[in-house]
Amino acid sequence: MNFLNLIRWKNLLMITLVQLLIKYAFLEPFGAQTSLTSIGITLLILATIFIAAAGNIINDIYDVDTDLVNKPNKLIIGKSISEKTAYNLFIVFNVIGVGLGFYVSHLVGKSPFFSIFVIISALLYVYATYLKRTLLIGNIIISVLVALSVIIVGVFELLPPITPQNQQIQLAFFKIIFNYAVFAFIINLLREIAKDIEDIDGDHKAGMNTLPIAIGRERATKVLFVLSLVPLFIITLYTINELYKSQIAVLYAILLIIGPLFYISIKTFSASTKKDHHHISNILKLVMLFGMLSLLLYKYIFLHNA
C-alpha cells in the first residue's frame, strides 16, 4: 500500500480513465480516423502512467522536509521506503515510460513524437528539484503536464492519419480534446494554489517561494477566489453556447460541474483554515473527474447538434 501511495495510484487511475474515455467514448464511436489499436492505446497509457509515477516518486524524494511538517503521518520516503529504493524506482519507471513512448511513436510512424515523453520526463524532474520552489512557475508547469496527459491521446490518435480529405473533421475532434486539456489545466492550477495555501507552514520551513509565502495566506486565498471564477464563467458560457440543445448535457454540467465550481468559489471566499483549503482541493479533484466523465455525454450532444 505504501508503494501505491508513493506513485499516487488514484491520480494514475484518473489518467488511465481519461485516456480510455477519449479513445473509446469519444473518438471511436463517432468515426474519427484513429491510428492506435487496443494494444497501441494500452502502451500509450502505460508510457504516460510510468512517467507520471516516476514524477510522483522524485517529487516525494525532494518533499521529505516539507512533508515532515505538512503531513508527517503520510510520510513514505525514509520511513517505509528508503530514499535509495525510491530513487531506483524513479530511474526504472522513467526508462520504461520513455522506452514505451519511443515504441508507440514508431508504431504510428511519427518518430519525432518520442520527444514529447523525454520533455515530460525532464520537466517532472526539474519541477521536483527546482521549479516547485519558484513563484507560480511550478504550479503552471505541473498543470501544463496534466493537460498534456489529456492532449497526448489526440496527438497520437488524430494527427498521424490526417489527410486533406479528413483534415476538417480530425481537427474538430482535436479541438474538443484541446478544450478538455484547457479545463484540466485550469482546475489543476486552482488545486495547486489551494494545496500551496494548505501546506504553507512546511513549505516556508523548506525555503520555498510559493504564492501564499510570497504574498501571505489571506491574499493568496483572495487570488484563488478570483481565479475560481474563471472556469465557472467559461463553463457556464460553454454550456449556454454549445450544450443548450442537449437537456442531459446541460443538467450534467449544472449539477456536477457548474454547481460544485460555484460552491468552491463561495467556500474559497470565506476559507481561512488548513482544513478549508484541503476541502477545496478535494472538491476540485471531483470537478476534474466529473468534467472528464462528461466525455460519455457526446452521443447526446452530437445527436442534438446534428
Side-chain angles (χ1 to χ4, degrees):
M1 199 63 203
N2 286 319
F3 168 73
L4 290 175
N5 288 333
L6 177 67
I7 62 171
R8 306 285 194 280
W9 67 274
K10 289 177 186 174
N11 294 353
L12 301 184
L13 207 60
M14 172 91 89
I15 292 169
T16 304
L17 175 66
V18 171
Q19 295 190 339
L20 286 172
L21 281 171
I22 292 169
K23 180 168 178 68
Y24 292 110
F26 178 58
L27 295 177
E28 295 221 336
F30 303 108
Q33 290 289 309
T34 56
S35 58
L36 291 173
T37 60
S38 296
I39 293 169
I41 190 69
T42 303
L43 293 175
L44 179 65
I45 290 167
L46 286 171
T48 311
I49 63 173
F50 267 109
I51 292 170
N56 291 330
I57 293 167
I58 197 71
N59 196 45
D60 265 21
I61 291 170
Y62 281 89
D63 264 3
V64 170
D65 289 342
T66 59
D67 288 346
L68 274 168
V69 178
N70 294 328
K71 41 187 177 183
N73 298 330
K74 292 183 179 179
L75 192 67
I76 298 169
I77 306 289
K79 198 174 177 183
S80 49
I81 295 173
S82 72
E83 189 174 317
K84 187 183 177 183
T85 302
Y87 202 81
N88 287 337
L89 282 169
F90 162 72
I91 293 166
V92 170
F93 279 21
N94 257 326
V95 169
I96 294 170
V98 172
L100 287 169
F102 179 76
Y103 182 74
V104 176
S105 302
H106 278 269
L107 210 60
V108 297
K110 297 284 181 184
S111 302
F113 284 4
F114 164 62
S115 60
I116 297 169
F117 300 96
V118 178
I119 291 164
I120 292 170
S121 176
L123 275 175
L124 282 167
Y125 180 79
V126 177
Y127 166 78
T129 56
Y130 175 69
L131 292 175
K132 192 174 183 182
R133 298 167 183 273
T134 59
L135 182 64
L136 278 178
I137 298 199
N139 302 135
I140 291 165
I141 291 294
I142 206 70
S143 301
V144 165
L145 292 174
V146 167
L148 269 175
S149 72
V150 176
I151 213 163
I152 200 168
V153 183
V155 170
F156 274 82
E157 288 281 29
L158 297 170
L159 299 188
I162 275 188
T163 64
Q165 290 75 32
N166 70 11
Q167 186 175 343
Q168 198 175 349
I169 187 75
Q170 293 291 94
L171 292 179
F173 278 114
F174 192 87
K175 187 186 171 187
I176 292 170
I177 295 171
F178 182 78
N179 289 340
Y180 273 89
V182 171
F183 169 79
F185 169 82
I186 296 169
I187 299 300
N188 198 78
L189 184 60
L190 294 177
R191 271 200 81 222
E192 287 295 312
I193 296 169
K195 286 194 291 180
D196 280 349
I197 300 169
E198 181 190 349
D199 293 343
I200 189 170
D201 297 333
D203 290 349
H204 190 270
K205 193 179 177 185
M208 295 171 81
N209 186 32
T210 61
L211 184 69
I213 289 168
I215 65 172
R217 198 197 304 256
E218 264 185 56
R219 283 198 189 99
T221 302
K222 284 173 185 170
V223 169
L224 182 61
F225 166 70
V226 172
L227 289 176
S228 74
L229 299 174
V230 174
L232 185 59
F233 175 74
I234 291 171
I235 292 159
T236 303
L237 212 62
Y238 186 82
T239 304
I240 292 164
N241 293 331
E242 303 291 332
L243 309 179
Y244 69 97
K245 288 181 183 176
S246 171
Q247 203 173 16
I248 292 171
V250 169
L251 278 172
Y252 184 95
I254 291 168
L255 292 174
L256 297 173
I257 302 170
I258 295 168
L261 281 172
F262 187 65
Y263 169 77
I264 286 162
S265 293
I266 293 167
K267 193 74 181 169
T268 305
F269 188 75
S270 58
S272 56
T273 65
K274 182 172 180 167
K275 192 179 175 183
D276 288 338
H277 291 100
H278 184 71
H279 177 64
I280 289 161
S281 173
N282 284 338
I283 301 296
L284 282 164
K285 192 182 268 191
L286 279 175
V287 169
M288 176 87 85
L289 175 63
F290 287 129
M292 295 304 161
L293 285 173
S294 69
L295 282 159
L296 292 165
L297 298 174
Y298 271 87
K299 60 180 174 183
Y300 304 107
I301 296 165
F302 286 160
L303 179 71
H304 287 92
N305 287 351

